[in-house]
PDB file of all heavy atoms in Angstrom:
ATOM      1  N   MET A   1       8.070   3.252  21.570  1.00  0.00           N
ATOM      2  CA  MET A   1       7.106   4.289  21.922  1.00  0.00           C
ATOM      3  C   MET A   1       5.836   4.066  21.116  1.00  0.00           C
ATOM      4  O   MET A   1       5.849   4.061  19.903  1.00  0.00           O
ATOM      5  CB  MET A   1       7.688   5.657  21.607  1.00  0.00           C
ATOM      6  CG  MET A   1       6.787   6.808  21.984  1.00  0.00           C
ATOM      7  SD  MET A   1       7.603   8.344  21.615  1.00  0.00           S
ATOM      8  CE  MET A   1       9.030   8.218  22.646  1.00  0.00           C
ATOM      9  N   PHE A   3       1.786   4.783  19.910  1.00  0.00           N
ATOM     10  CA  PHE A   3       1.094   5.962  19.401  1.00  0.00           C
ATOM     11  C   PHE A   3      -0.393   5.671  19.459  1.00  0.00           C
ATOM     12  O   PHE A   3      -0.928   4.978  18.611  1.00  0.00           O
ATOM     13  CB  PHE A   3       1.536   6.206  17.957  1.00  0.00           C
ATOM     14  CG  PHE A   3       1.147   7.546  17.409  1.00  0.00           C
ATOM     15  CD1 PHE A   3       2.085   8.549  17.290  1.00  0.00           C
ATOM     16  CD2 PHE A   3      -0.150   7.801  17.000  1.00  0.00           C
ATOM     17  CE1 PHE A   3       1.742   9.778  16.758  1.00  0.00           C
ATOM     18  CE2 PHE A   3      -0.500   9.017  16.480  1.00  0.00           C
ATOM     19  CZ  PHE A   3       0.452  10.013  16.356  1.00  0.00           C
ATOM     20  N   HIS A   7      -2.363   8.656  24.589  1.00  0.00           N
ATOM     21  CA  HIS A   7      -1.107   9.365  24.760  1.00  0.00           C
ATOM     22  C   HIS A   7      -1.229  10.832  24.381  1.00  0.00           C
ATOM     23  O   HIS A   7      -0.312  11.604  24.597  1.00  0.00           O
ATOM     24  CB  HIS A   7      -0.015   8.714  23.902  1.00  0.00           C
ATOM     25  CG  HIS A   7       0.292   7.308  24.314  1.00  0.00           C
ATOM     26  ND1 HIS A   7       0.864   6.409  23.456  1.00  0.00           N
ATOM     27  CD2 HIS A   7       0.082   6.650  25.473  1.00  0.00           C
ATOM     28  CE1 HIS A   7       1.013   5.249  24.074  1.00  0.00           C
ATOM     29  NE2 HIS A   7       0.539   5.376  25.300  1.00  0.00           N
ATOM     30  N   LEU A  16       4.502  16.393  41.033  1.00  0.00           N
ATOM     31  CA  LEU A  16       4.930  16.616  42.403  1.00  0.00           C
ATOM     32  C   LEU A  16       4.487  15.491  43.324  1.00  0.00           C
ATOM     33  O   LEU A  16       3.372  15.011  43.253  1.00  0.00           O
ATOM     34  CB  LEU A  16       4.370  17.940  42.939  1.00  0.00           C
ATOM     35  CG  LEU A  16       5.011  19.213  42.381  1.00  0.00           C
ATOM     36  CD1 LEU A  16       4.339  20.421  42.994  1.00  0.00           C
ATOM     37  CD2 LEU A  16       6.493  19.250  42.664  1.00  0.00           C
ATOM     38  N   ALA A  20       9.296  14.983  46.262  1.00  0.00           N
ATOM     39  CA  ALA A  20       9.785  15.946  45.282  1.00  0.00           C
ATOM     40  C   ALA A  20       9.697  17.381  45.788  1.00  0.00           C
ATOM     41  O   ALA A  20      10.304  18.279  45.213  1.00  0.00           O
ATOM     42  CB  ALA A  20       9.000  15.811  43.985  1.00  0.00           C
ATOM     43  N   GLU A  25      14.402  25.841  53.797  1.00  0.00           N
ATOM     44  CA  GLU A  25      15.730  26.165  54.306  1.00  0.00           C
ATOM     45  C   GLU A  25      15.615  26.825  55.679  1.00  0.00           C
ATOM     46  O   GLU A  25      14.641  27.529  55.968  1.00  0.00           O
ATOM     47  CB  GLU A  25      16.445  27.112  53.336  1.00  0.00           C
ATOM     48  CG  GLU A  25      16.652  26.551  51.941  1.00  0.00           C
ATOM     49  CD  GLU A  25      17.649  25.404  51.916  1.00  0.00           C
ATOM     50  OE1 GLU A  25      18.472  25.317  52.859  1.00  0.00           O
ATOM     51  OE2 GLU A  25      17.608  24.603  50.969  1.00  0.00           O
ATOM     52  N   THR A  42       7.723  58.421  58.142  1.00  0.00           N
ATOM     53  CA  THR A  42       7.212  57.501  59.159  1.00  0.00           C
ATOM     54  C   THR A  42       8.110  56.263  59.235  1.00  0.00           C
ATOM     55  O   THR A  42       8.330  55.587  58.226  1.00  0.00           O
ATOM     56  CB  THR A  42       5.775  57.063  58.834  1.00  0.00           C
ATOM     57  OG1 THR A  42       4.940  58.221  58.726  1.00  0.00           O
ATOM     58  CG2 THR A  42       5.229  56.138  59.911  1.00  0.00           C
ATOM     59  N   SER A  86       1.540  40.617  60.194  1.00  0.00           N
ATOM     60  CA  SER A  86       0.638  39.609  59.630  1.00  0.00           C
ATOM     61  C   SER A  86       0.093  40.056  58.282  1.00  0.00           C
ATOM     62  O   SER A  86      -0.016  39.256  57.335  1.00  0.00           O
ATOM     63  CB  SER A  86      -0.519  39.340  60.596  1.00  0.00           C
ATOM     64  OG  SER A  86      -0.064  38.694  61.773  1.00  0.00           O
ATOM     65  N   THR A 109      -0.797  22.870  29.573  1.00  0.00           N
ATOM     66  CA  THR A 109      -0.710  21.942  28.449  1.00  0.00           C
ATOM     67  C   THR A 109      -1.526  22.442  27.259  1.00  0.00           C
ATOM     68  O   THR A 109      -1.186  22.159  26.107  1.00  0.00           O
ATOM     69  CB  THR A 109      -1.198  20.540  28.858  1.00  0.00           C
ATOM     70  OG1 THR A 109      -2.504  20.633  29.448  1.00  0.00           O
ATOM     71  CG2 THR A 109      -0.249  19.897  29.847  1.00  0.00           C
ATOM     72  N   ASN A 113       0.042  22.858  23.567  1.00  0.00           N
ATOM     73  CA  ASN A 113      -0.523  22.276  22.349  1.00  0.00           C
ATOM     74  C   ASN A 113      -0.691  23.341  21.270  1.00  0.00           C
ATOM     75  O   ASN A 113      -0.411  23.103  20.086  1.00  0.00           O
ATOM     76  CB  ASN A 113      -1.867  21.622  22.660  1.00  0.00           C
ATOM     77  CG  ASN A 113      -2.440  20.872  21.468  1.00  0.00           C
ATOM     78  OD1 ASN A 113      -1.710  20.309  20.672  1.00  0.00           O
ATOM     79  ND2 ASN A 113      -3.751  20.871  21.351  1.00  0.00           N
ATOM     80  N   LEU A 115       1.116  25.987  20.922  1.00  0.00           N
ATOM     81  CA  LEU A 115       2.468  26.283  20.442  1.00  0.00           C
ATOM     82  C   LEU A 115       2.903  25.272  19.383  1.00  0.00           C
ATOM     83  O   LEU A 115       3.479  25.639  18.350  1.00  0.00           O
ATOM     84  CB  LEU A 115       3.442  26.273  21.615  1.00  0.00           C
ATOM     85  CG  LEU A 115       4.910  26.563  21.312  1.00  0.00           C
ATOM     86  CD1 LEU A 115       5.082  27.993  20.833  1.00  0.00           C
ATOM     87  CD2 LEU A 115       5.765  26.317  22.555  1.00  0.00           C
ATOM     88  N   PRO A 120       5.172  25.654  11.862  1.00  0.00           N
ATOM     89  CA  PRO A 120       4.953  25.278  10.459  1.00  0.00           C
ATOM     90  C   PRO A 120       5.691  24.011  10.037  1.00  0.00           C
ATOM     91  O   PRO A 120       5.411  23.457   8.974  1.00  0.00           O
ATOM     92  CB  PRO A 120       5.476  26.499   9.696  1.00  0.00           C
ATOM     93  CG  PRO A 120       6.528  27.068  10.590  1.00  0.00           C
ATOM     94  CD  PRO A 120       6.034  26.845  11.988  1.00  0.00           C
ATOM     95  N   PHE A 135       1.252  16.372  18.784  1.00  0.00           N
ATOM     96  CA  PHE A 135       1.939  16.479  17.499  1.00  0.00           C
ATOM     97  C   PHE A 135       1.132  17.428  16.640  1.00  0.00           C
ATOM     98  O   PHE A 135      -0.046  17.686  16.900  1.00  0.00           O
ATOM     99  CB  PHE A 135       2.071  15.103  16.820  1.00  0.00           C
ATOM    100  CG  PHE A 135       0.753  14.460  16.490  1.00  0.00           C
ATOM    101  CD1 PHE A 135       0.144  14.672  15.261  1.00  0.00           C
ATOM    102  CD2 PHE A 135       0.112  13.647  17.416  1.00  0.00           C
ATOM    103  CE1 PHE A 135      -1.075  14.078  14.956  1.00  0.00           C
ATOM    104  CE2 PHE A 135      -1.103  13.049  17.122  1.00  0.00           C
ATOM    105  CZ  PHE A 135      -1.709  13.264  15.886  1.00  0.00           C
ATOM    106  N   MET A 140       2.113  14.884  11.137  1.00  0.00           N
ATOM    107  CA  MET A 140       1.227  13.853  10.602  1.00  0.00           C
ATOM    108  C   MET A 140       1.408  13.721   9.091  1.00  0.00           C
ATOM    109  O   MET A 140       1.447  12.597   8.550  1.00  0.00           O
ATOM    110  CB  MET A 140      -0.215  14.220  10.930  1.00  0.00           C
ATOM    111  CG  MET A 140      -1.224  13.140  10.607  1.00  0.00           C
ATOM    112  SD  MET A 140      -1.026  11.705  11.664  1.00  0.00           S
ATOM    113  CE  MET A 140      -0.939  10.411  10.451  1.00  0.00           C
ATOM    114  N   ARG A 146       5.924   9.654   4.154  1.00  0.00           N
ATOM    115  CA  ARG A 146       7.134   8.835   4.205  1.00  0.00           C
ATOM    116  C   ARG A 146       6.864   7.378   4.567  1.00  0.00           C
ATOM    117  O   ARG A 146       7.624   6.488   4.217  1.00  0.00           O
ATOM    118  CB  ARG A 146       8.129   9.437   5.201  1.00  0.00           C
ATOM    119  CG  ARG A 146       8.586  10.845   4.839  1.00  0.00           C
ATOM    120  CD  ARG A 146       9.326  10.868   3.505  1.00  0.00           C
ATOM    121  NE  ARG A 146      10.518  10.064   3.554  1.00  0.00           N
ATOM    122  CZ  ARG A 146      11.697  10.495   4.015  1.00  0.00           C
ATOM    123  NH1 ARG A 146      11.805  11.756   4.439  1.00  0.00           N
ATOM    124  NH2 ARG A 146      12.747   9.701   4.026  1.00  0.00           N
ATOM    125  N   ALA A 148       3.801   6.037   3.880  1.00  0.00           N
ATOM    126  CA  ALA A 148       2.708   5.633   2.990  1.00  0.00           C
ATOM    127  C   ALA A 148       1.462   5.228   3.762  1.00  0.00           C
ATOM    128  O   ALA A 148       0.868   4.184   3.536  1.00  0.00           O
ATOM    129  CB  ALA A 148       3.165   4.487   2.083  1.00  0.00           C
ATOM    130  N   SER A 156      -2.327   3.792  15.142  1.00  0.00           N
ATOM    131  CA  SER A 156      -2.710   3.265  16.444  1.00  0.00           C
ATOM    132  C   SER A 156      -2.270   1.824  16.637  1.00  0.00           C
ATOM    133  O   SER A 156      -2.232   1.330  17.753  1.00  0.00           O
ATOM    134  CB  SER A 156      -4.240   3.364  16.622  1.00  0.00           C
ATOM    135  OG  SER A 156      -4.648   4.708  16.584  1.00  0.00           O
ATOM    136  N   PHE A 161       7.929   5.270  17.731  1.00  0.00           N
ATOM    137  CA  PHE A 161       8.776   6.437  17.501  1.00  0.00           C
ATOM    138  C   PHE A 161       9.878   6.396  18.547  1.00  0.00           C
ATOM    139  O   PHE A 161       9.609   6.529  19.743  1.00  0.00           O
ATOM    140  CB  PHE A 161       7.955   7.726  17.626  1.00  0.00           C
ATOM    141  CG  PHE A 161       8.709   8.969  17.235  1.00  0.00           C
ATOM    142  CD1 PHE A 161       8.721   9.401  15.911  1.00  0.00           C
ATOM    143  CD2 PHE A 161       9.409   9.696  18.175  1.00  0.00           C
ATOM    144  CE1 PHE A 161       9.407  10.549  15.551  1.00  0.00           C
ATOM    145  CE2 PHE A 161      10.099  10.834  17.827  1.00  0.00           C
ATOM    146  CZ  PHE A 161      10.103  11.267  16.503  1.00  0.00           C
ATOM    147  N   ALA A 170      17.953  13.336  27.801  1.00  0.00           N
ATOM    148  CA  ALA A 170      17.755  14.628  27.147  1.00  0.00           C
ATOM    149  C   ALA A 170      17.245  15.669  28.140  1.00  0.00           C
ATOM    150  O   ALA A 170      17.709  16.815  28.147  1.00  0.00           O
ATOM    151  CB  ALA A 170      16.778  14.478  25.984  1.00  0.00           C
ATOM    152  N   LYS A 177      22.073  22.340  31.135  1.00  0.00           N
ATOM    153  CA  LYS A 177      22.778  23.248  30.243  1.00  0.00           C
ATOM    154  C   LYS A 177      21.870  24.295  29.616  1.00  0.00           C
ATOM    155  O   LYS A 177      22.344  25.346  29.191  1.00  0.00           O
ATOM    156  CB  LYS A 177      23.476  22.453  29.130  1.00  0.00           C
ATOM    157  CG  LYS A 177      24.502  21.451  29.655  1.00  0.00           C
ATOM    158  CD  LYS A 177      25.125  20.670  28.502  1.00  0.00           C
ATOM    159  CE  LYS A 177      26.133  19.643  29.015  1.00  0.00           C
ATOM    160  NZ  LYS A 177      26.719  18.852  27.902  1.00  0.00           N
ATOM    161  N   MET A 180      19.903  23.341  23.314  1.00  0.00           N
ATOM    162  CA  MET A 180      19.205  22.376  22.483  1.00  0.00           C
ATOM    163  C   MET A 180      19.987  21.075  22.389  1.00  0.00           C
ATOM    164  O   MET A 180      21.214  21.064  22.403  1.00  0.00           O
ATOM    165  CB  MET A 180      19.013  22.978  21.094  1.00  0.00           C
ATOM    166  CG  MET A 180      18.372  22.079  20.077  1.00  0.00           C
ATOM    167  SD  MET A 180      18.296  22.921  18.468  1.00  0.00           S
ATOM    168  CE  MET A 180      20.044  23.008  18.045  1.00  0.00           C
ATOM    169  N   VAL A 181      19.245  19.957  22.310  1.00  0.00           N
ATOM    170  CA  VAL A 181      19.844  18.645  22.099  1.00  0.00           C
ATOM    171  C   VAL A 181      19.427  18.145  20.721  1.00  0.00           C
ATOM    172  O   VAL A 181      18.237  18.113  20.402  1.00  0.00           O
ATOM    173  CB  VAL A 181      19.402  17.634  23.176  1.00  0.00           C
ATOM    174  CG1 VAL A 181      19.876  16.227  22.814  1.00  0.00           C
ATOM    175  CG2 VAL A 181      19.944  18.040  24.541  1.00  0.00           C
ATOM    176  N   ILE A 198      16.262  15.272  14.827  1.00  0.00           N
ATOM    177  CA  ILE A 198      15.296  16.087  15.554  1.00  0.00           C
ATOM    178  C   ILE A 198      16.008  16.936  16.599  1.00  0.00           C
ATOM    179  O   ILE A 198      16.971  16.478  17.232  1.00  0.00           O
ATOM    180  CB  ILE A 198      14.221  15.184  16.216  1.00  0.00           C
ATOM    181  CG1 ILE A 198      13.050  15.988  16.753  1.00  0.00           C
ATOM    182  CG2 ILE A 198      14.824  14.307  17.294  1.00  0.00           C
ATOM    183  CD1 ILE A 198      11.847  15.120  17.151  1.00  0.00           C
ATOM    184  N   ASN A 199      15.579  18.179  16.749  1.00  0.00           N
ATOM    185  CA  ASN A 199      16.100  19.074  17.782  1.00  0.00           C
ATOM    186  C   ASN A 199      15.163  19.056  18.980  1.00  0.00           C
ATOM    187  O   ASN A 199      13.962  19.249  18.820  1.00  0.00           O
ATOM    188  CB  ASN A 199      16.223  20.504  17.263  1.00  0.00           C
ATOM    189  CG  ASN A 199      17.301  20.652  16.206  1.00  0.00           C
ATOM    190  OD1 ASN A 199      18.256  19.878  16.175  1.00  0.00           O
ATOM    191  ND2 ASN A 199      17.161  21.646  15.334  1.00  0.00           N
ATOM    192  N   VAL A 215      11.456  18.399  14.042  1.00  0.00           N
ATOM    193  CA  VAL A 215      12.104  17.559  13.032  1.00  0.00           C
ATOM    194  C   VAL A 215      12.834  18.456  12.036  1.00  0.00           C
ATOM    195  O   VAL A 215      12.218  19.333  11.421  1.00  0.00           O
ATOM    196  CB  VAL A 215      11.082  16.670  12.308  1.00  0.00           C
ATOM    197  CG1 VAL A 215      11.773  15.866  11.204  1.00  0.00           C
ATOM    198  CG2 VAL A 215      10.395  15.744  13.294  1.00  0.00           C
TER     199      VAL A 215
END
Side-chain angles (χ1 to χ4, degrees):
M1 182 178 299
F3 193 104
H7 296 157
L16 287 179
E25 299 292 338
T42 303
S86 292
T109 53
N113 186 33
L115 180 66
F135 62 91
M140 188 67 232
R146 299 298 298 275
S156 298
F161 187 88
K177 300 178 181 179
M180 177 183 68
V181 172
I198 191 168
N199 292 334
V215 177

